[in-house]
Amino acid sequence: MRQYIIKRVIISFIVLIGVSIMLYAITRMMPSDFVELSTANNLKITEEQKEHLRELYGLNTGIIEGYFLWLGKVIKGDLGVSLYYKRPVAELIKSYAPITFTVAFIALILELLVAIPLGIIAATNQYSKKDYLIVMFAFMGISLPIFFFAVILKRIFGPFGLNILPVAGMLNARATYTGFSFAKLMDYARQLIMPITCFVITSVGGLLRYTRTNMLEVLNSDYVRTARAKGLPERKVIGKHAFKNTLIPIVTLVGGMLPGLFSGAAITEGLFSIEGLGNMALTASYQADVPYLMGFNMFLAVMTLIGTLLSDILYAAVDPRIRYS
Amino acid sequence: MRKRTIFALLLVVAMTMSLLAGCESYNPTYDTLVIATTSFEGKFNPFYAESAYDWQVLNQIFVTPQMVNKDNVLEDYAGSIDYKEIKADDGHTQVEYTIKIKKGMKYTDGTPVTIDDVIYCYYVWADPSYTGPSSTFYTEDIVGLKEYYYDDPNYSSVIEGYAKAVEEKYSLDTISKEDFITYLIETKLEGWWNGNPSAEIASGYTWSDYIIDEGFEEQLKNIDASNPDQMLALLAEVEYTNYAEYYDPATWWGAKLAEDYIKGNLEDGIDVPTITGITKVDDYTCKVLYNSVNIYGDRTVNAYLVPRHYYGEFTKGNAEAVVSANMDKPMGSGPYIWQGYADNIVTCVANDNFFLGKPYIKTVKWQVYTDEDILAAFVAGDIDIANPTLNKDKLQAYIDAGLHYDLVDNNGYGYLGINSNNVEKLVRQGFMHLLNRKPSVEGYYGTMAQLIERPMTTTLAEYPDEAKEYYGYDPQKALAKFKEAGYEQKDGKLVKNGQQLVLNVYIGGEGIGDHPGYAMLTQAANDLKNMGGELIIHDVQFSVLQAAMNSGEADIFVLAWGTVTTCDQRSQYMTGGGQNRTNISNKELDNILEQIVVTMDLKERKALVAKALDIVMEEAVEMPLYQRKNGYVYNPVTVDISSLPETSTYWSYENVLYKIKLN
């Protein structure tokens, strides 16, 4: 196992180099220029000054030269300074990752809590009213555009409806908190109910359908038939034999969700005025902020590789048939 | 005598009473003001902040010697700025500005404010490494400034030499093939080359197709067509051979020479350590000497009082690294003290030692809200003040919610620009006749915007009020102009030399035509189609529009200028100007624009502006569209409306936040 992990880590580094080349080339090929965008409203700017700024920002290099300059810095642990935010990229990721991660993590837990039981109920009651209802709910979630769903939620729970939830923001600015307190935690929780609901409803469908399909497959397998033939009660057949085996692909799927916990959802974060990594990445794309986009995307690439590795390790942990050497 | 004594006593009593009345107790129910803002860039540093929202906060933390009043005229604030004209040794007129700051002011860490901090600000702006929004400061005609920037006492002869060299060596007539190719490769064909050899440059048309069509099929066979560098080199060859006259190597070479020059000068040690035209008189006074008259010199030297000890001393050429290190803890001497930025909320508390008195509101917070949520946040009582984007329906919703509001003209304007390099003058003029502006703008904004007849914000005193419509909507006149340009209608198509008249326009309507100019364009597209031409409308995101405009891909674009506070339009309309988006080039116009900024008399200046803008209209490179209004909305439950000032484009509650009261 250890050998396997070491081998995978080494391969991951090679993959990362390939990914970084692709990412850098794509980022630099964006049809926008940070200098033009940032000086768009500056009535005193001259062409000479724009060239000077490009030189200072390192944007006057070709893609290949620029890539090696960037890589040289990254090897020394420097992800560069964001052109737009004017702060070190690593510091930005460190500051804004917690909120993005918290929202996504809570949403993921809720998704699992909703998707797995509902998926199992749907599968065990295939083609019943329950099944159709659950599948319809899943499809509605998948099909709902998030910006539309957010507006509906705001209308129902905001001041023009039931008036029980705030429409946006991360904290109620009217309140003043000193340090971290239970009241502050409750305020955060209240503010995040709507964005997390949005995340859950619009993402749960995929996981639910995945669980349902896997469960159906497992329910048709021989050992389940044997368990039933043995005369085990249906509760035990589902709970002990089928459920455990359904979990195997789900565990691996969750491992692959790791980067998603940090990438955030640019649109949802923006809709609820949450300043997270996703919303910042969207702004950085609009502003052609090459260092931020590179740093952020590489961070996600690393997370993806870790996620995939974790999936594989978890696969071995939950499925005794699999052994790595 | 006794009567006089009694009268005097009565007066004293009356005055004491009035003073006591003035000292009425202020015990508000609310102690925190929440201001809704659109977004923060998070650059809370006066040298780097660019977004108006970051500045909303910084303007409460930093002060300047003078501040613009409600009529856009500078008046004394934390000091004063005076000027006098003096004669230089050679007899030409120079202008000397004397900047004074008030004595006794302190930063919020208790350090006294001195004139050294103002001078520090100038030196940061003038540093060759500085990239912030004031980095154009070195172009000011201050004595010794350019010498300092280029780090060469004889910079002018060198720069002149470069200008000469550029003319002799790098103009279209004189440039060598090698230098031309270098320029094309370095600029990636002026931004045209996208770095991807297999990309399509038009639908179903690749770079390779283009190279073959331009007669370079043989050369294409000899290179690896998937290698970006080899393809770029070949494309440079193609462009040099077939289209050299459409490129401008001289500007790029001029900039490059200057760039290498500064770099070289700094590398061999600092030769010019100070700016000779900036001198300290005493701890509270300094002087800035301009080499020529500049009507906006006072605005330029009106620097923020930024604590030098806090933002850090630097050696020349290293300001960027030192000053940009502090982006999230601003400290100044303004009415409020920075507390922090977290959870999309900026918190500031009152500076009890503010030089104009203790602010009434103890805590002010700025919280990010999207425009769509502002009304709901007001109704929920979560925010107290906002300045949302308004149109007629939105305004009515705020009124219906019982909110108080003020409307002011925005200091900017919307326009449609045409790239004169892509579209010839007669066609531009014809196109102007296809623009039915009134229903388009009024349908979108209602009474929240008005049509303008010249490309300038009406909030400037120099705007030509008498100007009449230059091109009315009239498709027949448009067709006549197209015909005058040589186009004729053949088989239902408007053609010239076999080519149909096809124009493209870029507009930022969020992909759903959400723009005051969109309806006008669809009508123009329809009219042009009826004539046999075509107008392709690209409704795109701003950065895409910007890229298309800069690369020359966009024939026409719809944009707006914001935060315009002066009538200096050299950058927009002068030949080679940094923001000359339409590539207009007119010698007469260049001269007038130069005259405008040295004409002190408003009446004369206004006449010159009118003349300049008439030329711009005649050139048909910009169609002025609208002057819109901004709105401030207040929650009368929490904010003491009687404490709000009379607002104007340049003056709002933000200018006197320390005087605003809560209920």
Side-chain angles (χ1 to χ4, degrees), chain B residues 221-291:
Chain B
K221 281 179 190 161
N222 296 330
I223 66 161
D224 172 7
S226 62
N227 181 313
D229 291 341
Q230 290 186 24
M231 277 295 270
L232 176 59
L234 181 56
L235 279 163
E237 188 79 28
V238 172
E239 295 303 289
Y240 173 73
T241 313
N242 294 350
Y243 300 106
E245 67 272 26
Y246 294 102
Y247 285 92
D248 175 20
T251 305
W252 184 80
W253 273 106
K256 184 168 168 46
L257 290 174
E259 191 62 54
D260 295 345
Y261 169 56
I262 299 173
K263 222 176 176 181
N265 285 344
L266 285 177
E267 274 167 8
D268 69 4
I270 295 166
D271 298 319
V272 185
T274 55
I275 303 164
T276 50
I278 297 177
T279 47
K280 178 179 171 180
V281 177
D282 58 39
D283 278 353
Y284 302 98
T285 317
C286 75
K287 287 180 190 294
V288 176
L289 183 62
Y290 265 71
N291 220 354

Side-chain angles (χ1 to χ4, degrees), chain B residues 446-659:
Chain B
T447 52
M448 296 299 297
Q450 65 189 73
L451 278 188
I452 50 170
E453 299 305 340
R454 295 294 180 272
M456 174 175 273
T457 167
T458 55
T459 60
L460 289 175
E462 289 86 352
Y463 180 83
D465 314 295
E466 309 297 317
K468 297 270 178 294
E469 186 175 58
Y470 209 93
Y471 300 96
Y473 170 68
D474 188 339
Q476 287 314 310
K477 281 188 184 167
L479 185 60
K481 282 282 180 191
F482 295 146
K483 286 186 172 168
E484 201 182 329
Y487 283 90
E488 47 189 351
Q489 289 174 300
K490 263 189 192 169
D491 307 325
K493 283 188 176 175
L494 194 60
V495 290
K496 180 178 172 182
N497 303 328
Q499 292 274 340
Q500 190 186 14
L501 177 60
V502 180
L503 299 169
N504 67 53
V505 56
Y506 283 73
I507 184 167
E510 307 286 332
I512 51 168
D514 183 15
H515 193 286
Y518 196 82
M520 169 187 84
L521 290 179
T522 48
Q523 189 174 9
N526 216 17
D527 288 337
L528 197 56
K529 193 179 166 195
N530 291 339
M531 289 174 197
E534 191 181 359
L535 178 69
I536 304 163
I537 304 173
H538 298 282
D539 185 352
V540 293
Q541 204 267 330
F542 176 70
S543 58
V544 180
L545 188 158
Q546 183 90 6
M549 180 179 73
N550 291 326
S551 68
E553 202 181 308
D555 299 326
I556 305 165
F557 43 86
V558 188
L559 272 174
W561 280 111
T563 57
V564 180
T565 53
T566 73
C567 68
D568 179 2
Q569 293 183 304
R570 286 176 297 177
S571 173
Q572 284 158 271
Y573 301 130
M574 257 180 78
T575 307
Q579 295 286 15
N580 188 340
R581 297 165 169 178
T582 58
N583 297 307
I584 180 175
S585 177
N586 182 305
K587 283 224 163 67
E588 190 191 352
L589 179 62
D590 291 352
N591 289 334
I592 299 173
L593 291 170
E594 288 285 18
Q595 275 179 55
I596 289 170
V597 289
V598 293
T599 305
M600 302 294 270
D601 181 76
L602 175 64
K603 213 173 157 189
E604 277 177 45
R605 199 160 68 230
K606 195 167 174 162
L608 285 170
V609 167
K611 211 169 154 189
L613 294 179
D614 279 349
I615 297 173
V616 174
M617 293 305 293
E618 178 58 25
E619 287 282 343
V621 288
E622 266 192 29
M623 173 59 100
L625 293 179
Y626 58 86
Q627 167 71 60
R628 70 171 174 84
K629 288 187 192 298
N630 284 327
Y632 294 100
V633 182
Y634 318 92
N635 184 352
V637 176
T638 51
V639 179
D640 178 356
I641 300 299
S642 67
S643 68
L644 294 170
E646 188 189 336
T647 48
S648 79
T649 301
Y650 303 97
W651 194 260
S652 72
Y653 75 92
E654 290 175 37
N655 299 76
V656 284
L657 190 56
Y658 64 98
K659 287 185 186 172

Side-chain angles (χ1 to χ4, degrees), chain B residues 159-309:
Chain B
I159 294 292
E160 264 172 41
Y162 284 154
K164 218 172 157 191
V166 166
E167 208 179 307
E168 282 171 3
K169 208 174 155 200
Y170 300 113
S171 71
L172 276 178
D173 309 326
T174 56
I175 189 166
S176 68
K177 181 180 175 183
E178 192 189 348
D179 289 339
F180 204 112
I181 296 280
T182 305
Y183 145 74
L184 286 172
I185 289 175
E186 291 284 325
T187 61
K188 300 190 198 89
L189 313 178
E190 285 283 11
W192 188 34
W193 167 245
N194 58 13
N196 181 2
S198 57
E200 289 185 353
I201 47 175
S203 182
Y205 193 73
T206 63
W207 290 111
S208 299
D209 295 335
Y210 175 73
I211 291 170
I212 293 165
D213 286 354
E214 292 298 324
F216 282 73
E217 193 172 358
E218 283 306 310
Q219 290 89 327
L220 183 64
K221 281 179 190 161
N222 296 330
I223 66 161
D224 172 7
S226 62
N227 181 313
D229 291 341
Q230 290 186 24
M231 277 295 270
L232 176 59
L234 181 56
L235 279 163
E237 188 79 28
V238 172
E239 295 303 289
Y240 173 73
T241 313
N242 294 350
Y243 300 106
E245 67 272 26
Y246 294 102
Y247 285 92
D248 175 20
T251 305
W252 184 80
W253 273 106
K256 184 168 168 46
L257 290 174
E259 191 62 54
D260 295 345
Y261 169 56
I262 299 173
K263 222 176 176 181
N265 285 344
L266 285 177
E267 274 167 8
D268 69 4
I270 295 166
D271 298 319
V272 185
T274 55
I275 303 164
T276 50
I278 297 177
T279 47
K280 178 179 171 180
V281 177
D282 58 39
D283 278 353
Y284 302 98
T285 317
C286 75
K287 287 180 190 294
V288 176
L289 183 62
Y290 265 71
N291 220 354
S292 56
V293 176
N294 181 331
I295 52 169
Y296 298 121
D298 49 358
R299 287 175 191 246
T300 305
V301 299
N302 190 28
Y304 280 89
L305 307 184
V306 184
R308 184 177 56 158
H309 69 280

Side-chain angles (χ1 to χ4, degrees), chain B residues 7-264:
Chain B
F7 183 66
L9 274 170
L10 279 172
L11 262 179
V12 168
V13 171
M15 282 171 74
T16 314
M17 292 295 282
S18 65
L19 271 173
L20 285 173
C23 294
E24 63 182 288
S25 63
Y26 171 65
N27 290 312
T29 314
Y30 300 92
D31 65 352
T32 302
L33 176 77
V34 184
I35 301 168
T37 189
T38 303
S39 67
F40 288 120
E41 282 184 12
K43 288 187 268 187
F44 298 109
N45 176 321
F47 294 110
Y48 293 94
E50 284 173 271
S51 114
Y53 311 111
D54 288 3
W55 271 113
Q56 260 187 308
V57 177
L58 292 179
N59 277 327
Q60 303 306 326
I61 293 168
F62 296 95
V63 294
T64 47
Q66 290 197 315
M67 178 157 60
V68 166
N69 68 9
K70 69 182 178 58
D71 301 316
N72 193 20
V73 176
L74 279 176
E75 60 181 31
D76 292 352
Y77 182 37
S80 62
I81 298 173
D82 295 308
Y83 75 91
K84 64 175 180 189
E85 290 187 7
I86 54 175
K87 289 281 173 208
D89 293 344
D90 64 0
H92 81 275
T93 306
Q94 292 180 316
V95 182
E96 185 185 76
Y97 289 96
T98 304
I99 299 104
K100 285 179 188 280
I101 57 164
K102 288 189 173 168
K103 290 178 183 171
M105 288 191 295
K106 282 184 176 167
Y107 291 112
T108 48
D109 67 349
T111 315
V113 181
T114 69
I115 204 72
D116 289 331
D117 299 318
V118 173
I119 296 172
Y120 172 74
C121 195
Y122 298 146
Y123 274 89
V124 173
W125 290 347
D127 199 84
S129 71
Y130 171 63
T131 61
S134 297
S135 56
T136 50
F137 180 68
Y138 85 94
T139 58
E140 294 292 318
D141 197 11
I142 293 171
V143 173
L145 177 57
K146 290 196 178 72
E147 285 83 347
Y148 177 81
Y149 180 79
Y150 291 111
D151 197 42
D152 183 354
N154 304 312
Y155 92 92
S156 58
S157 57
V158 179
I159 294 292
E160 264 172 41
Y162 284 154
K164 218 172 157 191
V166 166
E167 208 179 307
E168 282 171 3
K169 208 174 155 200
Y170 300 113
S171 71
L172 276 178
D173 309 326
T174 56
I175 189 166
S176 68
K177 181 180 175 183
E178 192 189 348
D179 289 339
F180 204 112
I181 296 280
T182 305
Y183 145 74
L184 286 172
I185 289 175
E186 291 284 325
T187 61
K188 300 190 198 89
L189 313 178
E190 285 283 11
W192 188 34
W193 167 245
N194 58 13
N196 181 2
S198 57
E200 289 185 353
I201 47 175
S203 182
Y205 193 73
T206 63
W207 290 111
S208 299
D209 295 335
Y210 175 73
I211 291 170
I212 293 165
D213 286 354
E214 292 298 324
F216 282 73
E217 193 172 358
E218 283 306 310
Q219 290 89 327
L220 183 64
K221 281 179 190 161
N222 296 330
I223 66 161
D224 172 7
S226 62
N227 181 313
D229 291 341
Q230 290 186 24
M231 277 295 270
L232 176 59
L234 181 56
L235 279 163
E237 188 79 28
V238 172
E239 295 303 289
Y240 173 73
T241 313
N242 294 350
Y243 300 106
E245 67 272 26
Y246 294 102
Y247 285 92
D248 175 20
T251 305
W252 184 80
W253 273 106
K256 184 168 168 46
L257 290 174
E259 191 62 54
D260 295 345
Y261 169 56
I262 299 173
K263 222 176 176 181

